[in-house]
Amino acid sequence: MDKKQIHRELQFKAMRSSGAGGQHVNKVSSKVELTFNIPESDGLSDLEKQRILLKLQSRLTNDGALVLQCDEARSQHRNKDLVVKRFFEMLKKAVTVPKKRKPTKPTKSSKEKRLKSKKITSEKKASRKKPDLGK
């Protein structure tokens, strides 16, 4: 994954943010929309593209583009930084291959500890019962 190449392929669009904010929100285009076309990227290998398309398939458009928006800050530059940071975190998470789980068995001491605690609980509950007076 070539970060510099990917950064060059990103497309940004600024638009007016929605919601409360009065005059500022009505005249300033602070919301930033990031678009990244995964199939046409030169910064990713074919294997990475397949993995990203599989992992992020619910977030992609029909032509395989990833679109992210950010309007958290009042500044367009701050929103751009935030959306780029979020994008690279998402990409990194989608590309990493999780470790294969190695099944393990419980140790002898852990089994003994579990049985001992069960015995103690059972004795505690048995001691709460009314005594049997041999009727």
Side-chain angles (χ1 to χ4, degrees):
M1 183 166 69
D2 184 14
K3 272 191 168 184
K4 289 183 180 178
Q5 177 63 32
I6 291 172
H7 206 289
R8 275 178 267 173
E9 294 173 355
L10 296 177
Q11 296 172 346
F12 297 98
K13 188 165 56 171
M15 59 194 75
R16 284 197 216 128
S17 186
S18 61
Q23 188 177 357
H24 184 270
V25 104
N26 295 333
K27 66 179 185 176
V28 179
S29 298
S30 60
K31 182 178 184 177
V32 176
E33 184 179 270
L34 175 144
T35 308
F36 179 66
N37 198 325
I38 296 166
E40 294 178 12
S41 173
D42 295 328
L44 297 169
S45 68
D46 289 336
L47 189 67
E48 289 173 330
K49 286 180 189 177
Q50 286 177 350
R51 190 151 183 81
I52 292 169
L53 288 170
L54 182 73
K55 287 283 185 180
L56 301 177
Q57 111 187 88
S58 64
R59 301 202 58 154
L60 301 176
T61 62
N62 291 336
D63 57 327
L66 178 65
V67 179
L68 296 175
Q69 294 180 343
C70 183
D71 62 351
E72 295 168 20
R74 283 173 61 106
S75 162
Q76 186 183 115
H77 298 292
R78 179 80 181 117
N79 281 333
K80 187 175 178 181
D81 292 342
L82 286 170
V83 79
V84 168
K85 184 179 175 188
R86 195 182 307 155
F87 166 75
F88 278 112
E89 285 173 4
M90 191 181 291
L91 221 59
K92 184 179 176 184
K93 193 174 180 183
V95 169
T96 53
V97 181
K99 286 184 181 177
K100 194 170 187 334
R101 184 187 172 278
K102 297 176 188 171
T104 58
K105 294 179 181 173
T107 61
K108 188 175 181 181
S109 65
S110 71
K111 288 180 186 174
E112 288 171 0
K113 196 186 288 185
R114 181 180 61 85
L115 292 173
K116 186 179 176 185
S117 79
K118 283 179 68 134
K119 190 86 166 166
I120 290 170
T121 306
S122 127
E123 287 170 1
K124 189 191 299 179
K125 291 187 175 190
S127 70
R128 292 179 190 153
K129 290 183 181 177
K130 290 183 180 178
D132 186 25
L133 300 174
K135 288 185 181 178

